Amino acid sequence: DMTVAAEDAKVGFVFGKRGLTMECLSSYFLERCVGHKVAMELVLTGRVFKAKEAPSGLFNYVVPKENVLDKAIELASEICETSPMSCMLNRNMIIRHGYNTSPEEAHLLESKSIYWIARQADAKEGINSFLEKRKPKYPMDPFKDSPEWFPWWNEIATKSRL
């Protein structure tokens, strides 16, 4: 979802230089991060580069290596200040609405989500904590309190022959 890299870290998509193909969903995510043309260049050349020279979108942050963990913890801490339920639903909307969902489908799901979440305890706590100028204490648990329509996508069953 998010990445923090050390400035001097060596990065490369060297599959072709080793006679291999892409793996670990890099064929799916790389284009989404850097765009089609840049993804093609990175993979087809197999070029190795330093993280500080990485194309825009490959990493969220590039920092000195001694600051990588601190930056990652800072980012995680910011996420922890949000509602876990909202975080889970929003994350899944971003992932699922990537390139293969129409604006109409995305709008319908966003409308369904905001209608549902606005009536839940986390929304009430978020608004009250803002008005009272205090940190929120979100009561909902995404593993227990998710809406009955989540997940909203159809699971795909495959019969792999490896």
Side-chain angles (χ1 to χ4, degrees), residues 70-129:
D70 289 340
K71 186 62 181 178
I73 291 171
E74 177 187 326
L75 190 56
S77 296
E78 280 187 73
I79 294 167
C80 289
E81 292 176 10
T82 69
S83 155
M85 181 64 71
S86 294
C87 187
M88 186 264 305
L89 291 171
N90 289 329
R91 179 180 179 273
N92 279 282
M93 280 192 273
I94 290 170
I95 291 169
R96 291 290 174 164
H97 291 168
Y99 290 100
N100 55 358
T101 302
S102 71
E104 294 83 6
E105 289 174 287
H107 174 69
L108 287 173
L109 184 57
E110 287 175 6
S111 296
K112 186 176 194 172
S113 295
I114 194 70
Y115 180 83
W116 180 83
I117 198 78
R119 288 157 178 70
Q120 303 303 313
D122 276 10
K124 292 173 187 159
E125 173 60 15
I127 292 166
N128 286 335
S129 66

Side-chain angles (χ1 to χ4, degrees), residues 22 25-33 95-96 98-100:
M22 298 173 78
L25 290 174
S26 53
S27 65
Y28 181 80
F29 288 112
L30 183 60
E31 182 181 28
R32 290 173 176 232
C33 292
I95 291 169
R96 291 290 174 164
Y99 290 100
N100 55 358

Side-chain angles (χ1 to χ4, degrees), residues 126-157:
I127 292 166
N128 286 335
S129 66
F130 175 77
L131 294 173
E132 296 166 8
K133 297 181 182 351
R134 62 174 173 80
K135 287 192 175 209
K137 295 177 184 166
Y138 296 109
M140 296 181 75
D141 179 345
F143 295 103
K144 298 177 184 170
D145 304 321
S146 296
E148 67 281 351
W149 43 265
F150 180 84
W152 55 83
W153 58 86
N154 294 324
E155 294 297 329
I156 299 171

Side-chain angles (χ1 to χ4, degrees), residues 33-54:
C33 292
V34 299
H36 179 78
K37 291 180 180 182
V38 174
M40 292 296 260
E41 178 182 349
L42 294 175
V43 173
L44 298 181
T45 65
R47 185 180 307 125
V48 175
F49 52 91
K50 299 245 174 158
K52 65 183 172 188
E53 301 160 358

